[in-house]
Amino acid sequence: MTSTSTRPAWGSRFNRFTMRLLKIGIIGLLLLVLAMEMVSHAPERKPPIFSWVAWVEVAVSLFVIFVYFWYQPGRKRWIAAASIASLVATVLDLFYDQGIRGVGTAELLALGLLMLFAVRHWDAPPGRWVAYATGAAAMLIGVARLYGNELQDAAIGGTLLTGMALTTVIGFGSYLRSMDKLRRETQEEVRQAERLELAREMHDFVAHHVTGMVVLAQAAQVTNTDPKQAFADIEEAGLAALTSMRRMVKMLRNDDAGAGTNPLGDLAQIEDLVERFNREGTDTTCFISPELAGSTVAPEIAATAHRIVREALTNVRKHARGATRVRVVVAAASGNGLEVSVRDDGRAARGRLADSGGGLGLLGLGERVEAVGGQLRAQPRPEGGWETAAWLPRAAAEAQPQH
């Protein structure tokens, strides 16, 4: 378990280290290009270090590189500031020509990287205009670098090349944006599925306790039960229902509730479940195989077994007329699994209580059993009564959906 659980953490750390190393390498390359631009010059021209305009462009280039290095998702205001500063510096270079080749290649490359972020986080504040401003700043630098070039074809070709490179960046940013959207939608679907599952669990909890309260109230009307004892039993069932409901509602409100948070019981709590059912007037016995105790059964399998028993006992109350005996068995089965069975000797019920949501519990129960790789059957017994039984795998590794 230790080696399996640590792999994702080490993988995540390695990915973060790789991305950080890549960003440092890109920053180093941009700074090297900027330094080379400041000292390189044509034979008939002075190097840019002798131009105050070039130093303004260097300051702007460093600012753009700084924004790229410290950028965090959604902070597009810094991209907007870098784009506006770049536009101002480039216009200044175009109108104040000192006969010295300008500086801007490193700035152009950094703006291309910021353009990727601006498109990827398209809807982040201050708005979509940031992407247009960044694109305009990058294109203007490309034009400025070729301004006054004696070779007209080279100037046109360079402009087209800059536009194509910018289009490629926009396309890749759009792809990343679509992947981010797909990831968010998938996460929302998973969260919604978990909430629907919890809602089904709430049905089982509430139906179990409320149906017990109804049965207790009906029994008190037709028997000579002590009213104080009857009310005490109803109060206990009501408090249990409220506790279960509060727990489920709390989980439904918790956005961070993961799949590992399980509101259900385990094998040890099945006996308590049967004992409560037995106190309500039906002769109920329970047998749990000793070899299933301890850690031989995965928690999600034990929780599913608990739910099977709870749903079956709820159905006995609602649908089994005249049931006098209920037998609950949780035993080891072939194929490294376990079998959970609940059998009664009652007859099919009729009336309002039988029609209040019949079938919904078994439908949700079937989905849960199949989700952990098990098989469920619910059918009449040949000798009379009803049987709800399921085969479940013991190990968590085997608890996978079957296709």
Side-chain angles (χ1 to χ4, degrees):
M1 290 297 292
T2 302
S3 60
T4 302
S5 60
T6 54
R7 285 176 185 173
W10 280 109
S12 178
R13 292 176 182 176
F14 178 77
N15 290 337
R16 289 197 299 268
F17 174 77
T18 303
M19 294 303 296
R20 189 172 302 175
L21 191 63
L22 178 61
K23 178 174 283 190
I24 292 175
I26 293 174
I27 296 297
L29 180 62
L30 292 176
L31 293 177
L32 179 62
V33 170
L34 183 61
M36 292 178 62
E37 281 189 302
M38 286 296 291
V39 298
S40 64
H41 61 95
E44 68 280 1
R45 293 188 177 185
K46 296 180 180 179
I49 58 175
F50 293 100
S51 171
W52 66 269
V53 177
W55 283 106
V56 172
E57 291 180 330
V58 168
V60 173
S61 298
L62 290 175
F63 176 64
V64 175
I65 295 173
F66 171 83
V67 171
Y68 164 71
F69 182 75
W70 292 104
Y71 178 76
Q72 297 294 331
R75 298 181 180 178
K76 285 172 55 178
R77 289 184 176 84
W78 287 100
I79 299 180
S83 301
I84 294 174
S86 176
L87 285 169
V88 173
T90 305
V91 171
L92 181 65
D93 178 51
L94 288 173
F95 282 92
Y96 194 83
D97 186 7
Q98 294 179 303
I100 299 176
R101 187 178 66 84
V103 176
T105 303
E107 181 182 345
L108 175 61
L109 295 174
L111 283 173
L113 295 171
L114 292 181
M115 185 68 180
L116 181 68
F117 296 141
V119 175
R120 183 176 185 178
H121 306 135
W122 181 255
D123 295 319
R128 301 177 178 181
W129 64 269
V130 177
Y132 296 106
T134 307
M139 284 301 300
L140 189 59
I141 291 178
V143 173
R145 294 290 67 78
L146 301 168
Y147 179 75
N149 196 318
E150 292 81 1
L151 300 176
Q152 189 67 22
D153 293 339
I156 297 176
T159 304
L160 292 176
L161 184 62
T162 303
M164 291 176 61
L166 200 59
T167 302
T168 302
V169 171
I170 293 173
F172 187 58
S174 300
Y175 168 75
L176 293 178
R177 178 172 176 267
S178 64
M179 294 300 296
D180 292 339
K181 181 179 180 181
L182 179 61
R183 186 181 301 108
R184 289 192 300 269
E185 292 177 350
T186 303
Q187 292 175 349
E188 183 61 28
E189 290 176 359
V190 171
R191 185 179 293 108
Q192 184 65 19
E194 292 176 356
R195 288 172 176 264
L196 290 175
E197 178 65 21
L198 290 174
R200 286 193 290 266
E201 298 291 352
M202 181 178 289
H203 160 266
D204 293 334
F205 274 114
V206 175
H208 172 76
H209 294 293
V210 173
T211 304
M213 295 167 61
V214 173
V215 171
L216 289 172
Q218 291 176 341
Q221 296 178 37
V222 298
T223 62
N224 295 324
T225 306
D226 184 7
K228 291 184 178 181
Q229 182 62 39
F231 285 127
D233 293 340
I234 294 175
E235 179 186 15
E236 181 181 356
L239 291 175
L242 288 175
T243 301
S244 299
M245 186 180 299
R246 289 193 189 102
R247 183 167 59 248
M248 297 298 295
V249 170
K250 181 178 180 181
M251 293 185 64
L252 286 171
R253 289 178 176 175
N254 186 5
D255 293 336
D256 298 328
T261 304
N262 201 321
L264 299 181
D266 54 20
L267 295 183
Q269 296 179 10
I270 290 179
E271 294 181 348
D272 297 334
L273 189 66
V274 172
E275 179 62 24
R276 289 197 301 269
F277 187 84
N278 195 22
R279 290 200 304 265
E280 293 170 2
T282 304
D283 182 16
T284 309
T285 59
C286 177
F287 171 78
I288 299 178
S289 178
E291 63 181 285
L292 298 178
S295 60
T296 59
V297 180
E300 57 266 40
I301 302 301
T304 303
H306 183 276
R307 176 176 173 178
I308 292 171
V309 175
R310 188 184 69 243
E311 178 64 27
L313 294 179
T314 300
N315 287 338
V316 170
R317 290 197 191 98
K318 295 173 64 175
H319 305 294
R321 295 176 55 194
T324 58
R325 293 187 305 274
V326 179
R327 178 68 171 169
V328 177
V329 177
V330 182
S334 60
N336 194 26
L338 60 92
E339 182 169 356
V340 183
S341 62
V342 179
R343 300 179 177 91
D344 66 79
D345 61 351
R347 303 185 306 275
R350 297 179 180 177
R352 291 175 296 176
L353 188 59
D355 296 334
S356 58
L360 293 178
L362 284 178
L363 180 62
L365 183 62
E367 294 175 356
R368 168 61 65 86
V369 171
E370 292 178 1
V372 298
Q375 298 176 350
L376 175 71
R377 67 179 186 274
Q379 59 190 11
R381 301 172 61 196
E383 60 270 29
W386 188 267
E387 176 187 36
T388 301
W391 179 91
L392 300 171
R394 291 194 212 178
E398 299 177 13
Q400 300 295 334
Q402 294 181 345
H403 300 285

